[in-house]
Amino acid sequence: MTEIEIGRGKRGRRAYSFDDIAVVPSRRTRDPKEVSIAWQIDAYRFELPFLAAPMDSVVSPQQAIAIGQLGGLGVLNLEGLWTRYEDPRPLLEEIAAIPDEAAATRRLQEVYAEPIKAELIKERIKEVRDSGVVTAAALSPQRTAEFSKAVVDAGVDVFVIRGTTVSAEHVSGAAEPLNLKQFIYELDVPVIVGGCATYTAALHLMRTGAAGVLVGFGGGAAHTTRGVLGIQVPMATAVADVAAARRDYMDESGGRYVHVIADGGVGYSGDIPKAVACGADAVMIGAALARATDAPGQGYHWGMEAVHEELPRGKRVHLGTVGTTEQILAGPSHTPDGTMNLFGALRRAMATTGYTELKEFQRVEVTVNPGR
């Protein structure tokens, strides 16, 4: 790819966000009823190709169950309020009621200082599992070794290791780093790991044996990583690079397929077909689901980056509400801005461009229209 001269001493590669690209119609169209948007990872099949982000404003145990019943996969945040407090609902209401953003950050830091309790991890996973839906839960790489046994013993179906950025080779002189390859090899459940945003990082994560990789770095609605650390990778380019790593890893491994999941920058329905067009098999959704009237955040949205005790790289943002979780995912919609019926829109986008399967749709033509 052509590099751009930033100055005489530095060159950079042009990268694109989902806002910079668009999907191109083809010579044929389909009936939306003939389109399948189903997705399968390991032994688990889902009618909707998405994971709900493990964020306290998005997924509670009750929401994980509801999302599973609607055809998606809700991922519990095992470092959130639900594993620190017996009943965090009063705290969720308090966080939503704080008028000042700076005060909200300080209060988030205070309430998340409560220790994580292994017995609550088991209780929350059991609650979701007992409902009969596929159970998924997430830990950061820093907490995975400490709590993974409690997670697996509780009967989780899909284990997510999620951080702002995750590498297969974390170097630390202070503590023994998590050996992802050994850890995944010893588990009996599929593991999804990320985020990553480059070809090389993704290839190394795929070699650990992960069933899926999360693509994204600092691109979520509640992130301030770009402003705080100066680091961000536009999502269209990141997904396409990781999809290329997946293709090369298939050749290297003799055909092993690793799922690519776009995690970040997917705030509206039109972002989902663009993510698939760039090579994603599914998307991880946070802000779009935080707009649900039944979401735990009550119209507010924040992630674990916002509660860091030394350097928060996220904030509580007010998104408001537009409808129920079911309406946001499957309609009907009463808004024209892409905040509702996300997967009805994906189905129609695929039908409009003549595709009936997600993997076929990854081959659709796209155009670049930067500066919009």
Side-chain angles (χ1 to χ4, degrees):
M1 184 176 291
T2 304
E3 288 187 331
I4 298 170
E5 185 179 288
I6 296 169
R8 291 192 178 189
K10 196 71 174 179
R11 288 180 172 270
R13 186 167 65 117
R14 177 63 199 258
Y16 300 96
S17 70
F18 291 141
D19 285 343
D20 293 327
I21 68 168
V23 173
V24 179
S26 67
R27 63 184 177 85
R28 66 165 64 92
T29 56
R30 304 273 189 180
D31 187 325
K33 294 177 183 177
E34 297 174 358
V35 172
S36 170
I37 57 173
W39 173 60
Q40 181 161 337
I41 184 165
D42 203 73
Y44 305 108
R45 176 184 168 89
F46 304 94
E47 293 306 310
L48 304 179
F50 87 98
L51 297 79
M55 304 167 85
D56 283 344
S57 55
V58 177
V59 181
S60 63
Q62 295 77 16
Q63 277 295 85
I65 293 168
I67 288 165
Q69 291 170 342
L70 289 168
L73 180 61
V75 184
L76 282 171
N77 174 18
L78 297 182
E79 298 175 35
L81 298 177
W82 291 93
T83 58
R84 298 173 192 261
Y85 299 90
E86 285 285 349
D87 183 6
R89 286 172 293 187
L91 287 170
L92 290 166
E93 291 178 5
E94 179 190 343
I95 291 167
I98 298 172
D100 178 66
E101 292 306 325
T105 296
R106 288 193 295 271
R107 185 60 180 142
L108 285 170
Q109 291 172 323
E110 291 170 359
V111 299
Y112 281 89
E114 178 74 15
I116 299 166
K117 301 170 180 65
E119 61 272 19
L120 283 178
I121 287 178
K122 295 177 181 179
E123 283 182 29
R124 304 312 185 198
I125 292 174
K126 184 178 185 300
E127 182 179 347
V128 179
R129 186 173 179 82
D130 287 350
S131 73
V133 303
V134 179
T135 307
L139 287 170
S140 67
Q142 295 83 358
R143 294 265 173 68
T144 294
E146 181 181 358
F147 293 112
S148 60
K149 188 177 187 304
V151 177
V152 176
D153 288 350
V156 76
D157 295 312
V158 178
F159 192 11
V160 179
I161 302 174
R162 183 178 188 255
T164 304
T165 184
V166 176
S167 69
E169 186 180 352
H170 175 67
V171 179
S172 173
E176 182 68 25
L178 175 68
N179 185 324
L180 270 177
K181 189 169 187 177
Q182 180 181 344
F183 177 80
I184 291 172
Y185 177 79
E186 292 173 353
L187 282 185
D188 291 329
V189 300
V191 177
I192 296 171
V193 62
C196 63
T198 66
Y199 172 95
T200 303
L203 189 58
H204 282 287
L205 286 181
M206 292 172 186
R207 288 170 177 161
T208 66
V213 294
L214 299 170
V215 183
F217 189 99
H223 274 267
T224 60
T225 304
R226 181 176 182 178
V228 175
L229 298 183
I231 302 175
Q232 186 182 15
V233 180
M235 282 296 293
T237 296
V239 172
D241 282 350
V242 174
R246 189 248 316 277
R247 178 197 62 212
D248 292 347
Y249 177 70
M250 286 183 69
D251 292 340
E252 173 187 305
S253 63
R256 184 174 179 273
Y257 190 90
V258 179
H259 295 269
V260 173
I261 302 160
D263 178 12
V266 185
Y268 298 90
S269 60
D271 298 321
I272 300 173
K274 294 177 187 181
V276 177
C278 289
D281 299 287
V283 296
M284 180 169 271
I285 298 175
L289 285 173
R291 296 188 185 101
T293 53
D294 47 345
Q298 303 173 40
Y300 286 87
H301 183 46
W302 66 92
M304 291 304 291
E305 301 84 6
V307 306
H308 195 283
E309 66 276 9
E310 294 178 3
L311 189 68
R313 302 178 314 282
K315 59 184 178 180
R316 186 202 67 169
V317 295
H318 183 240
L319 301 173
T321 57
V322 294
T324 65
T325 298
E326 183 172 4
Q327 290 171 329
I328 287 172
L329 293 175
S333 171
H334 55 254
T335 64
D337 58 2
T339 56
M340 300 182 73
N341 199 3
L342 304 183
F343 291 97
L346 173 62
R347 195 184 302 275
R348 186 165 293 276
M350 290 173 61
T352 301
T353 53
Y355 293 89
T356 58
E357 301 286 340
L358 283 173
K359 281 190 170 56
E360 295 175 358
F361 188 57
Q362 291 172 345
R363 301 196 300 266
V364 71
E365 182 184 353
V366 299
T367 58
V368 177
N369 39 296
R372 289 187 65 233

